[in-house]
Amino acid sequence: MAKFKLDEIDHQILDMLIDNTRIPFTDIAKKLLISAGTVHVRVKKMEEAGIIKGSSLTLDYKKLGYSFIAYVGVFLQNTSQTKFVLERITEIPYVTVAHITTGKFNIFCKIRAHDTTHAKDIIFQLDDIDGVYRTETMISLEESINDKKRLMHKIFNEL
């Protein structure tokens, strides 16, 4: 696939959307001294090129009672079971991220829970999946950095 070329207007639109995905196109247009239709067309082209893949919602999990974070490394009996195990993991809504990895673990998961008791129940659900040999858990004491905006700005400034 050919690399999509971004011009300065595209960069400025992306910078504003990275900072606030809910900013109205009319506000972007006013700041850039272009029409809202131009913003709409450019965003649509970036979506069609796969550069923009929707927008996201950020929640305050602490306020919702899900402040406990743990990372669970999953060891499989056989790597051929990876797809099956991942399908079972998707059935556990408290597993928010799962990566197939190299190294120590076959799969590495991030879970969110109410507390240690709830986390234990989630980990036991992971352990009970057919094909899981064992798990290893690390408790997060604090999520110190969770900021994709800096990386997105850096990537788009390099294009």
Side-chain angles (χ1 to χ4, degrees), residues 60-68 112-115 118:
D60 186 332
Y61 287 101
K62 286 181 184 176
K63 289 182 180 175
L64 296 169
Y66 286 87
S67 60
F68 189 93
R112 283 203 174 264
H114 295 295
D115 51 30
H118 187 213

Side-chain angles (χ1 to χ4, degrees), residues 3-67:
K3 189 174 178 180
F4 187 83
K5 297 287 186 195
L6 299 173
D7 65 14
E8 186 57 32
I9 298 292
D10 294 327
H11 279 273
Q12 291 174 333
I13 290 169
L14 285 169
D15 276 339
M16 287 185 224
L17 289 172
I18 288 167
D19 288 332
N20 177 6
T21 58
R22 296 181 60 166
I23 188 171
F25 288 174
T26 53
D27 290 358
I28 294 172
K30 286 177 190 172
K31 290 179 183 176
L32 299 181
L33 304 175
I34 58 177
S35 73
T38 299
V39 174
H40 177 77
V41 167
R42 286 173 176 257
V43 168
K44 185 78 172 158
K45 283 184 181 177
M46 288 185 274
E47 288 173 340
E48 288 169 356
I51 291 171
I52 296 175
K53 292 184 176 265
S55 59
S56 64
L57 178 66
T58 304
L59 299 175
D60 186 332
Y61 287 101
K62 286 181 184 176
K63 289 182 180 175
L64 296 169
Y66 286 87
S67 60

Side-chain angles (χ1 to χ4, degrees), residues 25-137:
F25 288 174
T26 53
D27 290 358
I28 294 172
K30 286 177 190 172
K31 290 179 183 176
L32 299 181
L33 304 175
I34 58 177
S35 73
T38 299
V39 174
H40 177 77
V41 167
R42 286 173 176 257
V43 168
K44 185 78 172 158
K45 283 184 181 177
M46 288 185 274
E47 288 173 340
E48 288 169 356
I51 291 171
I52 296 175
K53 292 184 176 265
S55 59
S56 64
L57 178 66
T58 304
L59 299 175
D60 186 332
Y61 287 101
K62 286 181 184 176
K63 289 182 180 175
L64 296 169
Y66 286 87
S67 60
F68 189 93
I69 298 171
Y71 295 90
V72 182
V74 179
F75 295 86
L76 301 179
Q77 292 167 348
N78 295 299
T79 56
S80 62
Q81 297 167 305
T82 303
K83 184 178 178 188
F84 173 82
V85 172
L86 283 170
E87 288 170 355
R88 300 298 78 74
I89 289 173
T90 61
E91 296 170 2
I92 306 170
Y94 307 104
V95 178
T96 60
V97 178
H99 295 270
I100 299 171
T101 59
T102 62
K104 188 174 183 178
F105 311 112
N106 298 98
I107 300 172
F108 195 68
C109 302
K110 177 180 181 180
I111 66 168
R112 283 203 174 264
H114 295 295
D115 51 30
T116 55
T117 303
H118 187 213
K120 178 188 71 165
D121 293 341
I122 298 164
I123 294 162
F124 285 178
Q125 287 179 54
L126 288 167
D127 279 328
D128 287 342
I129 296 171
D130 287 336
V132 172
Y133 171 64
R134 71 180 184 92
T135 60
E136 186 175 307
T137 304

